[in-house]
Amino acid sequence: MATLPQIAQAPASKAEAHKQHHSPIPAWVPLLLCLPAFIPLLVPAVQAWSRGLVPTVFAQYDLAYYLANGRQHFQDGFHLLYGNPYAQYGTPAIYFQPHVFLLGLLLKLGLSPDAVELLFWITAAAFCSLVAARIYQAWVGWDTLAQKLGFVCFFWGGGCLALLGEAFGLPAGQSVAHSALLFDPSDGWWMLNFGRNLVNPAEAFYHGLFLLAMLLLSQKRFGWALATGALLSISHPFTGLSLALILTAYAALECVLKNGAATIKLLLGSVALTSAHVGYYVFFLHRFADHRAVEEQWTLEWIYLFWTFAPALYLVTILAFGRLTRWKNLATFLADPRMRLCLVWFAVIFALAEHDLVIPPRQPIHFAHGYDWTALFFMAAPAVIPMLEKLLPIRRVPLRVLAVAALMLLFLSDNLLWFGTFLEPGVQTSEIVLTRDEKNVLDWLGMHGQDQAYVASPDRWISYLTPTYTSLRSWSGHDYNTPHSQQRRSEVAQVFALAAAGGTLPTDHPVYYIPARVQTWTPPEGARKVYENQSFVVWLR
C-alpha cells in the first residue's frame, strides 16, 4: 500500500520548501482545463440559434437573479445594501454580497446583463482554476507525469454516478444521455465534484475563495485565512457557514493537539466569524417579514441521498480510506496537518449535507456542491499518484496507453458523460432561451418602463427576467425568492384566467399586463395598449 509521498508532507526547512515548489503549474494549464465549463453555455446556444430562438448567457435558472440583485445597488441612486428585487417596492435594503455589487456596478457602466454575466463567468472560472492549481501544486506536486495526470483527475474527476446510471438505464431502453442522469439530481446541476462547479460562475467564485482559505490555512497565514472566510461569509450563507465551521473545528483540534499547526488566535477568530455569520443570517435577517417569507420557501427537502453520494464519492472514498487500514499509513496520515485539515473539512461538509437526519431539512444537498469530493481527493492523492506511477513504466506502449487511458476515463466518466448530455436535444433544459418576441418585450420595458411599475404576465421568462433586464419588478418572478411566491403566482393566474373580466392586481402602482396575443383576455378598465408584437400585447394601467 502506498505511503504519503514527500511532496504531500510539510517541509522541514526553507530550502526543502523551495525545492518542493521549484516546478510551478503554468497558468495556461488550469486556464485551458477550465474551458469545458462553457459547454453548457455554448452547445444550447448553438441549438437555440439553429431554431431561430434567442439564447442568453444564463446556462441555469438561478444565474439571472444575481444580476437582478446587483441592479438594486444603483436603482434610484446608490445603495450599499440592496432589497429583494422580487419583493414589492419598499422592501428593506438588508443584503450585500461583493460579487453581486460588482455585477451591479458593471450594469451601471452600461454593459448588457448577458455581457456582465459572461465577463463574471470567465473571471470567476479563471480565478477558481488558478487557485486550484496553487493548492494542488502545494499539496500534491507538479514534478512528475503522474502528478500532471493527477491534476486532470482533480479538475474533472468524479465518481461512478454516471456509470451507475448507464448500468440501470441502458437495459431499460433509455438513451445514454438520459441514463447518465438517472442518479444525478437536477440533471447534474448540483455539481457534486470540483470541476463541475466551474459551470456556475457564482459557485466558481465561492469555490475559489474556499480553496484559497484552505491554502492559506495550511501555510499558517491565519489572518488572511480568516479574512477570506469573512469574504466568503458575506458572499453565501451555505458555503460561508461551511468554511467558518471548518476553520473553527480545525483550529480547536490543532489547539488540543498542541503541535503548532494552529493558534488560539485562529480559534477565537473562527468562533467570532461563525458567530457573526449566524448572527446575520439567522437573527438579523429574521427581523424582516419579506426575508422570513422567502426563507420559509427555502426550507426544502432537497436530500443528499445515499444512492447519490455513495457513487458520486465512491472512487475518492475508497482511495482515501482504503490505504489507511495499515497503521504505518494511518500514522503518517494523522501526522500530516494537511491531511488532518482534509479530514475535518470532509467531516464538517458531510455532516452539514446530512443535517436532515437530526433537524428539519434546509436544502441539505446545497452544502455538498463537490466540497466533500474535493477534500476526499486530497486525502486520496497519495494513492492516486502511485497508481499512475505504476502504470506509466509499462514497457509495451499500446498496453501502457490502454491502462492509463482506462484509469483516466474511469475518473473522468461522470463529467465526460454529463457534458455529453448537452449534445442530445431535449435532455438538458436548464439554459434560459427566449423567443424573439419575448426578448423584444423585455427590451421595450427596459427602454420605456414607467418608474415603480410592476409587470404581470403568464409568460414565465418575461415575469422572471423583468428585474434582470429592466428597472421594473415582476409581481411573480423567481420561483423561490419571491415572497409568498405561491400566492403571487395565483394572483397572476387569476388575472389572466379565461373567465377573468378586467381583473387587476392588488396594488396602487402602475402595472404592465402582458398577455399572449392568442389568449382571450379582457384588459382592466382604464388600461391602454402601449406596445405589441406578433406574440404579446402590453397594456398599462
Side-chain angles (χ1 to χ4, degrees):
M1 190 70 68
T3 60
L4 263 174
Q6 291 181 355
I7 198 70
Q9 299 177 7
S13 65
K14 291 184 178 179
E16 185 181 344
H18 177 73
K19 183 177 180 181
Q20 272 191 222
H21 302 292
H22 75 280
S23 181
I25 301 177
W28 65 266
V29 174
L31 294 179
L32 183 65
L33 281 175
C34 80
L35 291 181
F38 296 92
I39 290 175
L41 169 66
L42 297 176
V43 173
V46 172
Q47 294 172 345
W49 276 320
S50 68
R51 291 181 288 146
L53 299 175
V54 181
T56 71
V57 78
F58 306 118
Q60 194 268 341
Y61 176 81
D62 280 337
L63 300 186
Y65 84 77
Y66 294 100
L67 278 297
N69 292 344
R71 188 183 290 276
Q72 300 307 304
H73 280 291
F74 300 91
Q75 195 72 38
D76 300 322
F78 171 72
H79 313 279
L80 182 62
L81 304 179
Y82 72 88
N84 183 355
Y86 302 99
Q88 295 192 29
Y89 289 106
T91 191
I94 54 177
Y95 303 106
F96 178 83
Q97 295 94 33
H99 57 302
V100 169
F101 177 80
L102 176 62
L103 295 176
L105 180 60
L106 293 174
L107 287 172
K108 182 65 176 178
L109 293 176
L111 296 178
S112 70
D114 289 88
V116 170
E117 182 68 8
L118 182 59
L119 181 60
F120 175 52
W121 192 348
I122 294 171
T123 304
F127 164 66
C128 184
S129 300
L130 292 171
V131 173
R134 288 292 301 275
I135 195 171
Y136 184 91
Q137 174 191 322
W139 288 16
V140 181
W142 183 253
D143 294 314
T144 68
L145 179 57
Q147 290 169 339
K148 294 172 182 178
L149 292 174
F151 186 53
V152 178
C153 292
F154 168 60
F155 232 84
W156 290 111
C160 299
L161 197 59
L163 292 178
L164 183 66
E166 301 293 352
F168 280 83
L170 291 178
Q174 296 191 37
S175 68
V176 172
H178 281 99
S179 298
L181 302 174
L182 200 58
F183 298 102
D184 207 342
S186 297
D187 293 336
W189 283 96
W190 277 115
M191 299 166 277
L192 300 179
N193 48 67
F194 166 70
R196 186 82 63 87
N197 285 274
L198 297 174
V199 306
N200 182 311
E203 287 298 333
F205 174 68
Y206 306 147
H207 278 70
L209 289 178
F210 186 98
L211 290 179
L212 181 59
M214 295 294 102
L215 178 61
L216 292 168
L217 190 60
S218 69
Q219 295 172 340
K220 300 185 181 180
R221 300 165 70 180
F222 301 138
W224 285 107
L226 286 171
T228 306
L231 182 59
L232 186 55
S233 173
I234 61 176
S235 299
H236 195 249
F238 290 94
T239 310
L241 177 62
S242 299
L243 179 56
L245 291 176
I246 290 169
L247 292 174
T248 302
Y250 177 71
L253 173 64
E254 297 301 332
C255 285
V256 170
L257 296 177
K258 298 180 179 180
N259 57 14
T263 64
I264 191 65
K265 289 183 179 180
L266 173 64
L267 177 58
L268 294 175
S270 302
V271 171
L273 175 60
T274 304
S275 301
H277 186 93
V278 173
Y280 173 72
Y281 287 103
V282 176
F283 295 104
F284 174 75
L285 292 182
H286 273 234
R287 296 170 52 201
F288 303 95
D290 278 348
H291 180 81
R292 290 197 301 271
V294 169
E295 190 163 278
E296 184 177 343
Q297 295 167 177
W298 292 346
T299 306
L300 301 166
E301 293 189 11
W302 291 343
I303 308 298
Y304 198 25
L305 296 168
F306 174 80
W307 47 83
T308 293
F309 72 74
L313 304 177
Y314 179 77
L315 294 177
V316 286
T317 300
I318 292 298
L319 293 171
F321 293 109
R323 65 190 179 84
L324 301 182
T325 55
R326 292 186 180 182
W327 170 249
K328 67 175 184 178
N329 293 334
L330 179 61
T332 304
F333 176 92
L334 295 176
D336 187 344
R338 292 173 181 168
M339 294 298 102
R340 294 197 299 272
L341 172 57
C342 288
L343 189 60
V344 170
W345 169 358
F346 169 73
V348 170
I349 294 295
F350 194 73
L352 289 171
E354 296 296 321
H355 72 256
D356 59 288
L357 298 177
V358 292
I359 61 175
R362 185 181 175 81
Q363 303 181 34
I365 198 172
H366 211 137
F367 287 101
H369 258 301
Y371 291 108
D372 48 358
W373 185 94
T374 307
L376 288 170
F377 178 87
F378 283 121
M379 293 166 60
V384 174
I385 304 305
M387 286 176 60
L388 289 165
E389 288 174 341
K390 290 181 179 178
L391 298 178
L392 289 170
I394 295 177
R395 291 186 178 182
R396 300 184 65 177
V397 175
L399 185 59
R400 182 200 316 158
V401 172
L402 182 62
V404 174
L407 180 60
M408 295 291 291
L409 287 173
L410 175 63
F411 252 93
L412 305 181
S413 60
D414 272 358
N415 283 311
L416 288 174
L417 288 167
W418 187 70
F419 284 130
T421 63
F422 290 88
L423 301 176
E424 184 176 324
V427 175
Q428 287 285 356
T429 57
S430 296
E431 185 178 31
I432 297 177
V433 175
L434 305 175
T435 65
R436 296 191 183 279
D437 287 343
E438 287 173 326
K439 186 63 168 63
N440 289 340
V441 168
L442 290 169
D443 290 341
W444 186 90
L445 290 171
M447 291 186 291
H448 304 287
Q450 192 173 125
D451 289 343
Q452 300 280 301
Y454 288 105
V455 170
S457 176
D459 184 271
R460 183 189 189 195
W461 295 133
I462 291 177
S463 291
Y464 174 40
L465 295 177
T466 287
T468 298
Y469 284 97
T470 81
S471 60
L472 308 181
R473 297 195 175 195
S474 295
W475 191 256
S476 176
H478 191 280
D479 290 344
Y480 298 104
N481 288 353
T482 302
H484 312 292
S485 178
Q486 186 173 356
Q487 175 185 333
R488 291 286 195 91
R489 284 196 300 269
S490 176
E491 289 169 345
V492 172
Q494 289 175 12
V495 165
F496 290 101
L498 291 178
T504 61
L505 296 177
T507 178
D508 294 330
H509 286 260
V511 178
Y512 288 97
Y513 294 94
I514 310 177
R517 289 185 67 93
V518 296
Q519 183 174 352
T520 302
W521 184 73
T522 303
E525 183 179 352
R528 58 189 176 89
K529 186 187 299 184
V530 293
Y531 175 78
E532 63 181 320
N533 58 31
Q534 292 183 346
S535 301
F536 301 97
V537 180
V538 180
W539 299 86
L540 173 61
R541 180 182 186 276

